[in-house]
Every structure is written in C-alpha cells, then in structure tokens.
Amino acid sequence: MKMYKRVADYLKNSSLTNDFVVQYLKWRDTKNKSSKFIVFRPNGGSILKANLGNEYYTLVDLVGAVNDIESIDNHVSAIADYIKNNPYTDNTGLIQVVGAIPAPVITDDDRLVYRILVSCKLG
C-alpha cells in the first residue's frame, strides 16, 4: 500500500478524519460551504533501496469550511499532537510532523488551508 494511504489509515483509525471529506492526490471542492476536507498525497522522501529503511513524505492538507477558522486551527493542532504522542505503527514506521505547523493560507472563498508535512521512516 502506498505510504500516503497508510498515513490516511493511521489518522482514520484515530477518528481524526471523521468530520472531513477524505480525498487523495488533490483537493476537489464539492461546493458545499460547510464541508471540511483532508487530502493525502505523496511528497518525495529518501532514496529507495531494497532491504534498507526508507523515508517517505506525505502532505496532509486540511481545508476548512467557509468562515470556519477556529475549528480547523484546533484540528491541525490535534493531529500534530496525536502524531507526536503516537510516533510508531507497523504500517508507517516512525511517523513525525516535519517543520511543525506552517502558516495557513486562505482560499478565495475564505477557507483556511493548512499543509502539514509528515515523515514516515519504515524498514
């Protein structure tokens, strides 16, 4: 299974994706202003070698509902805290947030977007 889907499963199993429309590879707006989205996609990593540990990066984009700044901000912190407190699984290996929580950006329709970079060291 691809690592970005493993990261998605890791967060799904913790119930941290329950309030979100889960998507892969790119954000596809449903035009529902109250929908929140979480998008998982690969973002590189280390050189892949057989029989050695490898590092995989996954971008986790959290897109808030229109005019919903507080809850998406709190949710990003909850995900970062969960990863910090649960840094290892058999499916992801060592999982960590890289670079802490970045500054959010705002979409044209006033959705707050956070992009979290996650590193998984497996093998």
Side-chain angles (χ1 to χ4, degrees), residues 63-114:
V63 182
V66 172
N67 299 318
D68 181 23
I69 292 172
E70 188 79 22
S71 80
I72 196 70
D73 186 64
N74 291 337
H75 211 83
V76 168
S77 294
I79 288 174
D81 288 344
Y82 181 78
I83 292 171
K84 180 175 61 176
N85 294 319
N86 300 278
Y88 184 82
T89 72
D90 289 339
N91 285 333
T92 62
L94 176 64
I95 183 168
Q96 302 174 88
V97 174
V98 178
I101 298 173
V105 297
I106 308 287
T107 65
D108 289 340
D109 61 346
D110 205 32
R111 292 178 184 268
L112 198 63
V113 179
Y114 280 96

Side-chain angles (χ1 to χ4, degrees), residues 8-37:
D9 287 347
Y10 166 80
L11 292 177
K12 284 179 189 176
N13 291 338
S14 70
S15 301
L16 286 168
T17 62
N18 286 355
D19 296 336
F20 290 82
V21 175
V22 177
Q23 298 178 338
Y24 301 101
L25 302 177
K26 76 174 201 168
W27 175 44
R28 293 169 300 283
D29 193 357
T30 61
K31 304 299 181 192
N32 180 342
K33 294 182 183 280
S34 63
S35 290
K36 297 186 290 187
F37 303 87

Side-chain angles (χ1 to χ4, degrees), residues 3-4 7 42-49 52-58 92-99 117-123:
M3 187 56 74
Y4 68 92
V7 172
N43 195 45
S46 67
I47 296 170
L48 300 177
K49 294 186 178 182
L52 294 174
N54 298 294
E55 186 170 18
Y56 302 86
Y57 296 137
T58 298
T92 62
L94 176 64
I95 183 168
Q96 302 174 88
V97 174
V98 178
L117 180 61
V118 174
S119 167
C120 296
K121 294 179 185 172
L122 184 64

